Amino acid sequence: MATACSSPDTDTLAQRFVQFALDAGVLRFGEFKTKAGRLSPYFFNAGLFNDGAKLGQLAQYYADCILASGIAFDTIFGPAYKGIPLAAAVAVELARRGHNTPFAYNRKEAKDHGEGGTLVGAPLRGRVLIIDDVISAGTAARESIALIRGAGATPHAMAIALDRQEMATDIGPDGTVRDVPYSAVQYVQRELGLAVCAIAKLADLLQYLERQDDPAVQAHRERVQAYRARYGVA
């Protein structure tokens, strides 16, 4: 279950995506506190793909990655909230390429009138591909898996924009947060049994930075390399 698309053009796709994310202001450098309490030298916020042109181009990258991965699926699912526009946009792009696939998403709160329930869209059937921006912990994936199984379908794979390739965290017996020697993506693969397709990984970001001659960019590279040395996984 590879964490990247398997294609001769994978490196080119990832490098173009990194450039696109930087140009869109979605990928930024600086000092940012993560949910795990770490100070990260970069930040990826897919919510800033916030106009039609950016979202449409993002959907093209997802479609390229999904089709290159060879993952087979019958339904697309977008977990609330960021996954909803992503799933819809990717479904449109795949249909444009001749792969018309039904999609669904969930509400955070169940609706008690009209059609009711928490699921909206097409019925979840067969093998389900979950589309989200990143996997920062296994929590959201587990919630999606429960919803999909509850609908009688099979959670099969996830497509994400960026694999941070860093250690996940866990709650120790004494209640303290601790680093674990595997990433959230690896947890989803090994423990939850889903294949994961990522458009780009932290390694691709480092490769991009290594190819730049700007001294300011080189400073970012050193900080990102140090972060990966501290928190990265194989």
Side-chain angles (χ1 to χ4, degrees):
M1 297 180 184
T3 60
C5 312
S6 53
S7 164
D9 296 325
T10 293
D11 288 344
T12 301
L13 174 67
Q15 294 302 301
R16 287 193 291 110
F17 178 72
V18 169
Q19 184 66 67
F20 167 56
L22 286 167
D23 292 343
V26 171
L27 179 60
R28 299 178 180 181
F29 298 106
E31 187 173 88
F32 308 93
K33 191 171 184 178
T34 69
K35 288 182 180 180
R38 300 167 185 162
L39 292 179
S40 172
Y42 72 98
F43 183 59
F44 182 84
N45 181 7
L48 296 177
F49 289 118
N50 53 13
D51 63 37
K54 292 174 188 173
L55 184 59
Q57 193 169 350
L58 175 62
Q60 292 177 35
Y61 281 107
Y62 269 103
D64 286 339
C65 179
I66 291 165
L67 295 176
S69 75
I71 293 171
F73 55 95
D74 305 296
T75 314
I76 292 171
F77 176 72
Y81 287 103
K82 286 183 180 178
I84 296 174
L86 294 177
V90 172
V92 169
E93 178 61 24
L94 288 173
R96 189 183 69 81
R97 301 186 188 197
H99 303 274
N100 189 25
T101 307
F103 78 95
Y105 57 91
N106 68 299
R107 300 184 180 95
K108 285 288 188 179
E109 296 180 0
K111 187 178 179 182
D112 59 4
H113 61 279
E115 73 278 14
T118 58
L119 293 173
V120 184
L124 289 173
R125 293 174 179 164
R127 299 159 297 182
V128 179
L129 172 67
I130 302 166
I131 297 183
D132 214 339
D133 55 346
V134 297
I135 305 174
S136 55
T139 306
R142 288 195 299 270
E143 291 174 354
S144 295
I145 287 171
L147 282 169
I148 292 165
R149 286 179 175 162
T154 302
H156 182 62
M158 288 190 73
I160 59 175
L162 181 68
D163 178 1
R164 288 180 61 96
Q165 292 185 297
E166 68 180 71
M167 291 184 288
T169 56
D170 195 8
I171 306 297
D174 59 354
T176 59
V177 178
R178 60 182 182 181
D179 296 334
V180 293
Y182 51 82
S183 71
V185 167
Q186 290 172 334
Y187 172 80
V188 168
Q189 292 174 311
R190 298 170 184 175
E191 302 300 322
L192 304 184
L194 273 63
V196 178
C197 171
I199 303 172
K201 310 179 300 298
L202 178 57
D204 297 311
L205 172 56
L206 277 169
Q207 186 179 62
Y208 173 89
L209 293 174
E210 288 167 359
R211 293 174 176 175
Q212 308 306 307
D213 296 326
D214 187 339
V217 174
Q218 291 175 357
H220 293 316
R221 180 188 66 203
E222 292 172 2
R223 287 192 289 269
V224 174
Q225 285 175 328
Y227 185 81
R228 189 179 187 191
R230 172 65 179 87
Y231 297 111
V233 295

